[in-house]
Every structure is written in C-alpha cells, then in structure tokens.
Amino acid sequence: MPSIFSYQSAEVDWCEGNFERSTVIAEYYNTISNVSFFVLSPALLYLNRQYRQQRALPMYIVSGLLFCVGIFSTYFHMTLSYVGQLLDELSILWTLAVAYSFWYPRIYFPRSFLSGLLQRLSGVTTVISTLMSFIKPAFNAYVLNCIAFHLLYLTWRELKKCNDKRVHRMAAVMVLWWVLAISSWISDRWLCGLWQAINFPYFHSFWHVLIAMSLLYCCPLVIYFDVSYEMPSFKPKLEYWPSDSWPVVVPYVALEEPHKQC
C-alpha cells in the first residue's frame, strides 16, 4: 500500500498529463499557475493598507491563509499525493471559515444571536468538515465550490442597498472572473477527454489564475461593506490601482478621514 505522502497517491488526477515537462513536477502548469496566489496576498495587504491599519487581524490572517492555499496547491499538483490533496482542500476550507467569522455582516444575524456565536459555529462546522474530508476528500472540492453561491447571494443583497456605481461595476467584474474560473474547473473535470484529444488539457491551471483574479475583486468588495457596517467613523471609497485612466486596473478600498467628534 503506497504512503499517503507518495507521488500520485491522491484520489484526484487532473487532466494535464503527468511528468511531461519535469521528472519532479507531476502537473507542471497546474503547479506553476499557483504563483497567482503568491501575488494575490501581498497585493491585498499593500493596496488596502488603510483598512489593514484599522483591522490588522483579519487582513493578516486571511491574506496569510490565501498564501498557504498557494503553497499547498503547489505541493499537491507537484506530487499528486494524498496528503497534498488534503492540505489543498483544507486550506481553502479554513480560509473560507475564517473569512466568514471575521466579515459576515451582523445585520444578517438573528436577533437572538449571541456575541461570538458565529465564530464558534464556524469553528465547529469547519472541524466537522475537516474530519469528513478525510473520509471522501474528492467530494470536498464540489462542496467548497458550492459555497460561492452563498457568497453571490450575499453580494446581491448588499448591492440592492448600495448606490455606488463603482461598487456595482466591481461586483460585476468579480462575477465575470468567477464564471470564467468555475467554467475552467468544470471543463477540466468533466470534459478532459475532449481537451486531451486536441492536446490542450490546461484548464485547471486557468482556474488557479482566474479564481485569484476573482478574489482580487471579491476581497475589496467585502472590505467595502465591512467598513460600511463596522467602522462608522470612516467612509469607504473604491479606488483603482495604478489609476482610473488605465485600461487594466486593480480595485482597492481607501478610507476617508474620520469625522471629527464633538
């Protein structure tokens, strides 16, 4: 029986051919495409530095976990090991759980919701999901992708209350990147025979880049709403880097000066 650390001991093998471009890296393009996560984390911290100064803990923890997603995904696609598969999926699960516990709007809590209960529920749910992933890790990937639908629902509810056209435009771009990303993931999983027939089995590597692009728009959107709810002395303002005039831009949230207290 192979070791859980052995090459190709995972339950999942993606469409890209194994060891075609390297004797060490199982899935070459699926591995190197994770560089997008190594760029994403520092970009979020740097661009949203005003928010980071006010809410350092969630920014550093979530950005650090996104960096870990990149590390574990790199390890998984490099080795296709069972341990790599678990680390890849569990890092995503824990990143989502931590983000929910920090940023889920309190306005959606039931009136009887006790302080800190969301964090405890998120922790319990995550621990249970972690244990379940050891039983059937391949199924975990589909569950994680389904969480996106709840995030889209929350975004839709928030946009109904927001009149800022920039925010609506940023949300639309986020959804576009997500649709392209999930389409790539599904294509690689379900249409592998077609892509191998035309010698282009690289859609999972596109997933890595496209989902990172979606997160690059999603995180500032979450930050914008968090400032609106949790930091009443500041007004969030959506800005673009490097400037509004550039054809390709990256959004971030700036904080206007706090109102003077009497």
Side-chain angles (χ1 to χ4, degrees):
M1 184 175 180
S3 167
I4 58 175
F5 293 94
S6 299
Y7 273 71
Q8 296 179 284
S9 58
E11 290 187 353
V12 175
D13 191 355
W14 298 94
C15 196
E16 183 182 356
N18 298 333
F19 302 105
E20 292 184 345
R21 288 168 177 79
S22 171
T23 58
V24 178
I25 301 174
E27 295 175 342
Y28 184 80
Y29 289 109
N30 286 352
T31 299
I32 64 172
S33 58
N34 283 292
V35 70
S36 55
F37 289 99
F38 302 140
V39 174
L40 172 66
S41 293
L44 290 174
L45 287 173
Y46 173 74
L47 292 175
N48 298 282
R49 53 191 176 275
Q50 286 184 308
Y51 176 80
R52 186 192 70 214
Q53 291 169 357
Q54 303 296 323
R55 298 261 283 162
L57 188 62
M59 280 299 293
Y60 279 116
I61 291 181
V62 173
S63 296
L65 286 171
L66 286 172
F67 199 85
C68 288
V69 169
I71 292 174
F72 293 138
S73 182
T74 298
Y75 172 63
F76 168 49
H77 291 289
M78 181 178 177
T79 64
L80 290 179
S81 67
Y82 183 80
V83 167
Q85 181 183 353
L86 287 178
L87 291 173
D88 179 28
E89 294 176 358
L90 292 179
S91 63
I92 299 171
L93 172 65
W94 281 84
T95 301
L96 287 170
V98 170
Y100 262 79
S101 65
F102 278 132
W103 286 325
Y104 193 84
R106 284 195 242 180
I107 192 174
Y108 299 120
F109 292 178
R111 290 184 179 179
S112 59
F113 215 76
L114 300 177
S115 176
L117 184 56
L118 177 66
Q119 286 81 358
R120 290 193 288 273
L121 286 175
S122 296
V124 171
T125 303
T126 305
V127 169
I128 293 173
S129 301
T130 299
L131 296 174
M132 291 297 295
S133 68
F134 283 90
I135 300 173
K136 192 63 178 175
F139 180 72
N140 205 34
Y142 292 93
V143 175
L144 290 173
N145 277 314
C146 288
I147 295 175
F149 291 104
H150 183 250
L151 294 173
L152 291 174
Y153 169 72
L154 287 177
T155 301
W156 171 73
R157 290 196 62 176
E158 288 301 315
L159 290 176
K160 287 174 65 177
K161 298 179 285 186
C162 178
N163 297 319
D164 192 330
K165 292 183 179 179
R166 282 192 163 200
V167 175
H168 282 257
R169 186 162 57 247
M170 180 171 65
V173 175
M174 177 198 72
V175 172
L176 174 62
W177 285 119
W178 176 79
V179 169
L180 292 173
I182 196 65
S183 299
S184 298
W185 191 91
I186 293 173
S187 294
D188 190 272
R189 202 83 200 107
W190 294 353
L191 302 176
C192 180
L194 171 63
W195 306 129
Q196 288 181 337
I198 63 174
N199 198 29
F200 197 79
Y202 307 120
F203 277 89
H204 193 76
S205 63
F206 293 168
W207 151 261
H208 289 155
V209 176
L210 293 169
I211 199 64
M213 290 298 300
S214 180
L215 289 170
L216 199 58
Y217 283 77
C218 177
C219 290
L221 190 65
V222 171
I223 290 170
Y224 182 94
F225 293 130
D226 185 62
V227 173
S228 300
Y229 283 122
E230 303 297 333
M231 302 168 62
S233 59
F234 290 90
K235 183 178 179 181
K237 184 179 180 183
L238 186 61
E239 301 282 2
Y240 294 112
W241 181 89
S243 72
D244 291 4
S245 60
W246 282 54
V248 179
V249 294
V250 178
Y252 66 95
V253 175
L255 304 183
E256 292 189 346
E257 292 296 322
H259 302 302
K260 291 184 179 180
Q261 302 295 326
C262 296

